[in-house]
Amino acid sequence: MSFQPPVIPASEVPSALGARGYAVLTREGLCELAGIESPALEGLRASWNDLPQDGFLRDGGRYRSRRHACFVVDGASVTQVPHRAHWQPVEYNALHGGLERWFEPVQPDIVSQPVWAGLIRGLAACCSQLKGERPWYVEAHQFRIDTTDGIGRPTPEGAHRDGVDFVAVLLVGREGIKGGETRVFEAQGPNGLRFTLTEPWSALLLDDARVIHESTPIQPLEGPGHRDTLVLTFRAGGFQGPA
């Protein structure tokens, strides 16, 4: 059974994040919130067909491919910084924490598209509405989880926080799979919810201090399938890195 996402209008996102720590948007809601044109998003999708395999999976899996890039948003300015490793402490990622992971960068022809910067800029503005105007240190992750070996795990580390201020999980698309249910739980409470994102470019926005999240494994329906996402994390004060 798949539960429908609890979508809200873009105008309610700041109050929803402030009240319960999460918000779910349709494609139209995401575009309204970020101030971008919906058709422009289609110019990004093909790049998910050219993601190198993740060579750092400590569970020995071959089901994840990805690219990574980092940016600083200061007001209307979105600046890509020199390529750097992705790093998380073990407190937030028990499986891959404490490891400098160097992934291949997001391709320049993707980063240069106005909709890419517009998406990051618009979501950063939403973060500033909640936390106050400041520079935001943004990590962008393109993920493809596939079922070539039977099962793909979007979050092999389990339910987790990311060690940032805000997280945006955008479903780029899913094909030939079942599963991939999104689960969000209070970090300091008993409540949680579950739903399945199916609409391309629908989005889950999270206050990382308030909630933990995970996505359940995916399985093929007939032949191999996949689930593509764009994950953007927003952190004040700097990027995460080893002390």
Side-chain angles (χ1 to χ4, degrees):
M1 177 182 296
S2 294
F3 293 90
Q4 292 297 312
V7 298
I8 61 172
S11 59
E12 296 179 12
V13 166
S15 59
L17 285 172
R20 58 179 181 256
Y22 68 87
V24 184
L25 291 168
T26 63
R27 176 180 181 145
E28 291 74 19
L30 172 67
C31 292
E32 180 182 344
L33 181 73
I36 58 176
E37 296 294 326
S38 179
L41 290 169
E42 293 308 306
L44 305 177
R45 287 187 68 171
S47 64
W48 268 261
N49 295 323
D50 187 28
L51 303 183
Q53 190 173 91
D54 184 340
F56 292 94
L57 283 171
R58 283 178 164 167
D59 64 0
R62 300 184 302 166
Y63 51 81
R64 185 161 72 183
S65 302
R66 66 192 296 177
R67 289 184 184 272
H68 173 242
C70 296
F71 305 84
V72 176
V73 182
D74 193 356
S77 172
V78 180
T79 304
Q80 185 173 12
V81 303
H83 197 53
R84 53 182 288 122
H86 176 52
W87 187 91
Q88 294 173 291
V90 293
E91 291 81 4
Y92 293 111
N93 191 327
L95 184 61
H96 297 115
L99 177 67
E100 287 192 326
R101 291 181 283 168
W102 287 91
F103 301 112
E104 289 297 312
V106 177
Q107 294 166 313
D109 63 327
I110 297 302
V111 173
S112 64
Q113 293 189 40
V115 68
W116 179 271
L119 187 59
I120 293 173
R121 182 187 302 112
L123 290 173
C126 181
C127 298
S128 290
Q129 277 188 268
L130 290 155
K131 296 284 189 178
E133 188 73 32
R134 67 195 67 193
W136 291 101
Y137 295 80
V138 182
E139 295 195 48
H141 306 263
Q142 291 180 292
F143 289 106
R144 169 166 287 182
I145 309 299
D146 68 56
T147 61
T148 301
D149 290 339
I151 293 178
R153 295 177 174 85
T155 52
E157 64 271 42
H160 65 283
R161 292 165 55 205
D162 287 322
V164 297
D165 289 282
F166 296 98
V167 180
V169 181
L170 282 56
L171 178 74
V172 178
R174 48 185 287 153
E175 182 177 331
I177 62 168
K178 59 183 178 180
E181 180 181 80
T182 297
R183 297 179 177 178
V184 181
F185 310 94
E186 291 176 342
Q188 304 295 329
N191 298 316
L193 75 159
R194 50 192 287 204
F195 56 89
T196 304
L197 293 174
T198 58
E199 180 194 17
W201 298 108
S202 53
L204 168 66
L205 310 182
L206 302 166
D207 181 333
D208 194 54
R210 301 271 303 280
V211 296
I212 59 178
H213 64 281
E214 66 176 341
S215 296
T216 62
I218 61 172
Q219 295 175 279
L221 289 175
E222 294 180 1
H226 61 262
R227 179 178 185 263
D228 294 345
T229 55
L230 173 62
V231 177
L232 301 169
T233 64
F234 297 79
R235 191 172 190 263
F239 295 107
Q240 291 189 99

